[in-house]
């Protein structure tokens, strides 16, 4: 009886314990291991900027705000890649609002309401406002359009009012940044001494002759590098090898690419759709409802894919054309007549001859060369062949072909006037001069403003569930048989259909691994505290393939190890050991450099470089080598250096001639050049300095 009473006394406590246990079982992941602060810790902390902690809910709210703006502007939900960019944008905004704002406040920088009005509708309108209110048809900016829009703003939906408020906020932020960066640029100054040094570096010339023994002349396998040598080198060059949190993996993929059966099934489906498209009274609606790809209803010949364009001569109203395959998509088209466009389209090829300099003599020389080429073409020479060997434009590799283009400013005005002034295909019998140089032009398709009405259906081949299941079966079978790095390597070696890829030093925030896009699941697995080196993952579905990875290395920003930079350190130390061998073999050889090279034997070269300068010097086989170049300019003419351990090998240098830079009275040009070069990097340096001063801690990779 006493036992029963004890049980009754304790029953209330037992029920309480069970209730708490059930609650923790249901939501424990969120309360204890997730992003909650219920039991202390900082699981919700997504980062820290200038001493201010950034909580996950606050950051997510910022992302949601940007997501809403994105959907309003584009009319669609953001894809995964868009969301990653929105998160980056949100983080940068927070960095600006916290870290940058502190700097602005120190300097008293502000954008007043009056200044903002001036930027939007006053005398100094922001380029962003100009772009937003420029008529896309005429290219003309009209300030009255802004005023009219603002007067009617209160009558617009709340979303549009909020969008404008965000736009003005961004205008003010951009202006603040411009002011700050402007002040920083004004602080950049190059002294006359610096300008003089730059002038001399660019204009002092030397003729250099040298003996060069490249490191590759000694086989790598003959030089043994020990771990202690690597550690010793790392200890002496720590600043060159900063610590970073990263992971290295090897992986194999199992493709989920559509099979031949999937392709055949889709081909039959699209033939059925072709019959439906042909019979449809409202063919554009039918096409839109059944197509995986949006295709405009009206197209010029130039906008058509090549296979459809080739069918133009056979077009008849209501005719069905295709299926045509483009990549993994089959297209069918229904022709529905033509109409006239307001603009014209043409196709042309050209050969561009550019002057070597902006001088009258250089322009005259370029014109003579262009006229000679034009004469060759008029005499029967191949336009395409001459374009490939003479044109300064990127179209040269295509025989000068520029493809189709419209008369809407895509081309510079004189070029556009010449092409659209032609009434037929063929060579334009005169040179056309533009700011780029002299053009020899052949019109391959004369202008036309015909628009073709084309209802199109595009169906993309996708893997069937059977195909997906088969790929997953293979991936699961592989994963079940390899739980260690050794087993992983053995299985890859055994299965010749598998290709093992390597990804070194993946950062924690990476979204892509080599060609694998949206690979965050693999990255998160690699950085998981429970994942050890040589662990093998389960299959990850990444895009159209399954990925199985093995973790091969970890690096820690606070603990740099030799293994973090094993390949780079080995190459450096091996070259130093080779340098010792080369210097020892050269010994104290005398005589000409040719005699020294002959005595050294295989691998030694003797080269001469005339008119090399200190600023941009290139020593032929030795490449760009600052130490060797500095040594050469430090020698008096006729003197020889001791062996110099360079970047690519060992050199013995002789400076045969030095031509000093001529004296100039004014170094203003070089002073300006130095200041502009430094100013062009101001924005980047400011951002890095502010982040460093703000001691930014970015933990976003732990959450996404």
């Amino acid at each position: 009886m006493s036992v029963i009473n004890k049980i009754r006394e304790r029953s209330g406590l037992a029920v309480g314990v069970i209730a708490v246990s059930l609650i923790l079982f249901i939501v424990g992941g969120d309360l204890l291991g997730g992003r909650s602060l219920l039991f202390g810790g900082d699981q919700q902390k997504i980062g820290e900027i200038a001493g201010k902690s950034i909580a996950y809910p606050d950051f997510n709210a910022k992302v949601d705000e940007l997501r809403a703006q994105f959907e309003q502007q584009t009319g669609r939900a953001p894809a995964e890649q868009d969301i990653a960019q929105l998160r980056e944008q949100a983080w940068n905004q927070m960095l600006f609002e916290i870290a940058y704002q502190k700097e602005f406040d120190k300097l008293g920088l502000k954008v007043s309401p009056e200044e903002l009005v001036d930027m939007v509708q006053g005398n100094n309108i922001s380029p962003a406002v100009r772009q937003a209110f420029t008529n896309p048809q005429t290219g003309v900016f009209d300030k009255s359009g802004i005023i009219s829009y603002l007067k009617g703003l209160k009558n617009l939906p709340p979303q549009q009012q909020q969008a404008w408020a965000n736009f003005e906020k961004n205008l003010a932020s951009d202006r603040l940044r411009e002011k700050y960066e402007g002040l920083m640029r004004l602080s950049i100054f190059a002294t006359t001494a610096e300008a003089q040094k730059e002038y001399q570096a660019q204009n002092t010339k030397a003729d250099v002759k040298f003996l060069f023994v490249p490191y590759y002349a000694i086989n790598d396998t003959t030089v043994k590098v020990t771990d202690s040598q690597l550690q010793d080198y790392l200890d002496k060059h720590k600043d060159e090898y900063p610590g970073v949190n990263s992971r290295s993996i090897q992986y194999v993929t199992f493709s989920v690419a559509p099979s031949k059966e999937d392709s055949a099934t889709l081909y039959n489906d699209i033939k059925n759709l072709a019959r439906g498209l042909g019979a449809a009274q409202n063919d554009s609606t039918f096409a839109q409802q059944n197509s995986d790809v949006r295709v405009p209803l009206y197209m010029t010949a130039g906008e058509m894919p090549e296979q459809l364009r080739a069918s133009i001569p056979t077009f008849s109203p209501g005719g069905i054309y295709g299926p045509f395959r483009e990549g993994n998509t089959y297209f069918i088209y229904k022709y529905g007549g033509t109409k006239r466009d307001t603009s014209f389209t043409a196709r042309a090829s050209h050969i561009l001859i550019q002057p070597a300099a902006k001088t009258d003599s250089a322009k005259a020389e370029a014109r003579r060369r262009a006229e000679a080429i034009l004469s060759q073409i008029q005499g029967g020479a191949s336009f395409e062949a001459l374009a490939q060997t003479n044109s300064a434009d990127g179209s040269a590799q295509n025989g000068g072909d520029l493809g189709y283009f419209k008369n809407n400013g895509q081309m510079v005005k004189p070029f556009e006037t010449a092409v659209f002034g032609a009434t037929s295909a063929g060579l334009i019998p005169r040179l056309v001069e533009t700011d780029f140089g002299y053009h020899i032009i052949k019109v391959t398709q004369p202008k036309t403003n015909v628009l073709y009405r084309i209802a199109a259906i595009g169906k993309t081949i996708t893997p069937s569930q059977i195909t997906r299941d088969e790929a997953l079966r293979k991936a699961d079978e592989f994963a079940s048989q390899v739980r260690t790095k050794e087993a992983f390597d053995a299985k890859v070696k055994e299965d010749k259909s598998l290709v093992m890829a390597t990804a070194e030093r993946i950062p924690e925030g990476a979204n892509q691994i080599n060609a694998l896009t949206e690979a965050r699941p693999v990255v998160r697995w690699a950085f998981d505290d429970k994942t050890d080196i040589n662990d093998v993952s389960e299959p990850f579905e990444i895009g159209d393939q399954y990925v199985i990875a093995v973790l091969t290395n970890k690096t820690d920003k606070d603990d740099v190890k030799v293994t973090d930079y094993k390949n780079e350190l080995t190459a450096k130390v091996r070259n130093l050991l080779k340098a010792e061998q080369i210097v020892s073999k050269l010994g104290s050889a005398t005589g000409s450099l040719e005699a020294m090279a002959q005595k050294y034997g295989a691998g030694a070269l003797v080269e001469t470089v005339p008119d090399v300068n200190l600023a941009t010097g290139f020593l032929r086989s030795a490449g760009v080598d600052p130490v060797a170049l500095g040594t050469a300019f430090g020698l008096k003419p006729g003197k020889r250096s001791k062996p110099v351990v360079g970047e690519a090998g060992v050199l013995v240098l002789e400076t045969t001639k030095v031509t000093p830079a001529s004296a100039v009275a004014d170094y203003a040009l070089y002073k300006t050049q130095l200041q502009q070069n430094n100013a062009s990097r101001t924005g980047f340096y400011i951002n890095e300095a502010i982040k460093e001063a703000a001691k930014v801690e970015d933990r976003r990779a732990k959450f996404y």
Side-chain angles (χ1 to χ4, degrees), residues 438-598:
Y438 296 97
H439 303 259
I440 303 161
I441 303 172
K442 181 173 75 171
V443 178
T444 50
Q445 290 290 336
K447 68 177 181 181
T448 176
N449 65 344
V450 174
L451 283 174
Y452 297 85
R453 187 185 188 278
I454 305 289
I457 295 177
K459 300 295 287 184
T460 301
I461 308 168
T462 55
S464 64
Q465 192 58 48
I466 294 174
T467 301
R468 289 187 172 279
D469 290 345
E470 177 59 17
L472 179 58
R473 184 194 67 77
K474 290 180 179 178
D476 281 336
E477 182 181 359
F478 179 92
S480 66
Q481 296 174 2
V482 296
R483 303 315 308 160
T484 65
K485 177 71 165 62
E486 292 75 15
F488 185 94
D489 293 341
K491 190 67 177 176
V492 171
K493 189 175 181 180
E494 172 190 326
D495 190 342
K496 303 301 181 184
S497 67
L498 295 174
V499 177
M500 184 165 64
T502 300
E504 299 282 355
R505 293 194 205 132
I506 304 167
E508 191 172 9
N511 191 56
Q512 181 168 331
I513 300 174
N514 294 340
L516 300 176
T517 57
E518 300 181 10
R520 286 295 302 157
V522 182
V523 177
R524 281 196 293 268
W525 167 82
F527 276 89
D528 193 303
D529 292 338
K530 297 178 182 178
T531 303
D532 295 323
I533 292 177
N534 294 331
D535 281 358
V536 180
S537 75
E538 296 298 324
F540 292 104
E541 187 174 2
I542 306 296
D544 59 353
Q545 53 199 329
Y546 290 99
V547 178
I548 299 174
V550 56
L551 186 66
T552 56
N553 192 33
K554 297 181 179 183
T555 67
D556 187 333
K557 68 177 181 179
D558 298 321
D559 183 18
V560 183
K561 296 183 175 67
V562 165
T563 52
D564 298 352
Y565 292 96
K566 186 70 175 280
N567 293 336
E568 294 90 332
L569 291 169
T570 300
K572 283 284 188 183
V573 174
R574 184 189 290 124
N575 283 346
L576 289 176
L577 295 174
K578 287 182 179 182
E580 290 177 5
Q581 291 185 26
I582 295 169
V583 171
S584 176
K585 189 174 179 180
L586 284 171
S588 56
T590 57
S592 67
L593 293 179
E594 287 81 2
M596 290 176 63
Q598 187 174 6

Side-chain angles (χ1 to χ4, degrees), residues 219-380:
N219 196 307
D220 286 353
T221 58
T222 65
V223 181
K224 303 302 180 184
V225 179
T226 66
D227 289 342
S228 62
Q229 288 172 323
L230 297 178
Q231 186 65 57
D232 185 55
Y233 186 89
L234 177 61
D235 291 341
K236 293 176 181 177
H237 300 83
K238 285 184 177 179
D239 291 344
E240 299 174 28
Y241 300 94
V244 63
N245 290 329
S246 75
R247 300 292 184 268
S248 296
I249 65 170
Q250 290 179 324
Y251 62 92
V252 293
T253 60
F254 295 83
S255 175
V256 195
S259 65
K260 291 181 180 178
E261 291 76 14
D262 298 333
S263 179
T265 300
L266 180 66
Y267 187 78
N268 291 329
D269 290 345
I270 204 164
K271 284 197 294 187
N272 292 330
L273 284 172
R275 287 190 285 272
L277 181 62
Q281 294 298 314
N282 191 339
D283 52 16
S284 62
T285 301
F286 182 87
Q288 188 173 0
Q289 290 174 342
N290 289 281
S291 183
D292 297 337
V293 183
R294 293 294 297 271
V295 180
L297 186 59
Y298 284 93
M299 289 187 283
T300 67
E303 292 167 337
M304 292 180 187
E306 187 61 41
Q307 295 178 92
L308 180 61
R309 185 164 57 243
S311 303
I312 289 178
T314 66
F315 277 0
S316 61
I320 300 294
Y321 301 88
F324 299 130
R325 182 169 178 173
E326 297 178 28
N328 279 339
T329 304
Y330 282 107
F331 286 93
I332 52 172
Y333 304 93
K334 181 179 180 180
Y335 172 63
T338 61
K339 72 175 185 178
R340 297 291 173 177
D341 195 3
T342 54
S343 60
F344 286 84
T345 301
R347 184 175 185 175
S349 300
H350 81 142
I351 301 172
L352 173 62
I353 306 300
Q354 290 182 318
K358 294 182 179 180
T359 61
D360 291 341
S361 60
K363 289 180 65 177
E365 175 58 31
R367 185 178 187 90
R368 282 193 296 271
R369 185 179 166 213
E371 287 172 341
I373 294 171
L374 178 60
S375 297
Q376 290 182 59
I377 296 169
Q378 290 171 328

